[in-house]
Amino acid sequence: NSEQKQLKNILKNFEENLKYGDELKKLRDKESEIAKKYNSYVPKIDGEEVTKVRINEILQKEEDVEYRKKAYEASILGGDLIAEDLREFAILRNDFAKKQGFSNYFEYKLKEAYEVDIVELEKLLEKVYLEASVLLKESSKKEQENLKKIFKTQELESYHYGYLASENPERKVNNCIKTKEQVVDIAKKMYKNI
C-alpha cells in the first residue's frame, strides 16, 4: 500500500534526522556546493562563452570534427572543476552508509530508499546483460560503422560519440523540445489524460 510506504518513509527520515542530522546536513551542504560550482561553469569554445545546451547541440548534430572536439573538451572541463569535490562527497556518503551497516552508499540507497536487495539486483542485471549482450554488440558495431562513415575515419575518439544522425528519432524530438518546461507540460498533459 502506497500510504503505508509513505508513512514508513516519513518515520524513517524522521528517525535518521534525529540520529544523523548533522551528518545529513553536511551531505546536503556538500551536494549543494558541488551543484553550485558546476552550474556556475560556463564552457568556452575558442575563447567565446557558449551554453551547455549549445554544447549538447554541437555534440548531437555537428559533423565538423575539430569543432566537435572543442565542444567536447569544453564540456568535460566542467567535470574537472568538481572532480575533487565529487571524490570527497563519495567518501562522505560511503562513511555515512557504513555507519548504517552497509558496505557503501549505493547499497544503502537501494535498500533504504527502494527496498531493493543488492544480490537480487545483481542477478537481474546479469540476466539482462546475458540476454541483451549480443544485441548490444551488434548495435554498437553498427553505430561505430555509421560514425566512421559520417566522420570519414577509422579511429573513433570520445568526441565522435553522441552524434545523432538525421534519421535518429531522438534528434527529431530534441528539435521539437527546447525547454525543460515543455517536458513538464507534456508530462502533465499525459498524466491528466490517463
Side-chain angles (χ1 to χ4, degrees):
N1 184 336
S2 69
E3 290 172 356
Q4 288 175 331
K5 187 174 181 175
Q6 285 178 338
L7 180 59
K8 181 181 172 185
N9 287 339
I10 290 169
L11 291 173
K12 185 183 175 332
N13 287 339
F14 182 72
E15 182 181 341
E16 268 189 354
N17 276 300
L18 282 175
K19 282 184 175 178
Y20 305 104
D22 291 340
E23 288 179 73
L24 290 170
K25 183 181 182 328
K26 191 175 178 181
L27 287 172
R28 285 190 302 269
D29 290 348
K30 187 67 175 174
E31 189 172 15
S32 294
E33 175 190 329
I34 293 168
K36 187 176 182 180
K37 189 183 282 189
Y38 181 75
N39 290 334
S40 69
Y41 169 70
V42 178
K44 291 181 181 178
I45 298 177
D46 294 329
E48 186 177 324
E49 290 185 353
V50 292
T51 65
K52 291 173 188 154
V53 170
R54 178 68 185 127
I55 292 284
N56 286 335
E57 287 174 359
I58 293 166
L59 294 174
Q60 289 178 1
K61 298 176 184 178
E62 183 61 54
E63 292 185 22
D64 179 316
V65 175
E66 286 305 311
Y67 197 57
R68 286 183 68 77
K69 185 176 180 180
K70 290 175 184 180
Y72 174 79
E73 289 171 351
S75 74
I76 62 174
L77 287 176
D80 291 348
L81 185 68
I82 60 169
E84 184 58 29
D85 291 316
L86 283 174
R87 190 185 74 71
E88 291 171 15
F89 186 53
I91 290 168
L92 288 172
R93 290 194 331 178
N94 285 335
D95 288 346
F96 174 76
K98 286 175 184 172
K99 289 177 185 172
Q100 306 285 324
F102 294 89
S103 59
N104 58 51
Y105 189 79
F106 178 69
E107 286 184 19
Y108 159 78
K109 202 65 175 170
L110 279 176
K111 190 69 173 173
E112 298 301 312
Y114 306 107
E115 298 179 358
V116 172
D117 180 77
I118 189 71
V119 174
E120 292 300 314
L121 178 62
E122 286 173 349
K123 286 179 188 175
L124 175 64
L125 291 175
E126 181 68 20
K127 181 180 176 193
V128 169
Y129 172 76
L130 290 173
E131 291 178 7
S133 63
V134 173
L135 292 174
L136 289 172
K137 285 177 187 174
E138 288 174 9
S139 175
S140 179
K141 185 177 178 182
K142 187 176 176 181
E143 178 191 11
Q144 288 176 356
E145 292 304 318
N146 191 30
L147 290 173
K148 286 177 183 178
K149 279 187 216 169
I150 290 168
F151 295 114
K152 298 171 182 68
T153 185
Q154 289 304 306
E155 296 292 323
L156 293 174
E157 300 292 338
S158 300
Y159 50 83
H160 289 115
Y161 292 91
Y163 179 79
L164 300 177
S166 59
E167 67 275 3
N168 187 312
E170 188 177 339
R171 185 170 183 171
K172 293 173 184 169
V173 170
N174 290 348
N175 286 336
C176 295
I177 298 175
K178 302 293 183 200
T179 67
K180 289 186 281 187
E181 289 77 18
Q182 284 179 292
V183 175
V184 172
D185 289 343
I186 290 168
K188 284 180 180 177
K189 286 178 187 173
M190 183 185 81
Y191 284 110
K192 187 177 179 182
N193 291 328
I194 290 179

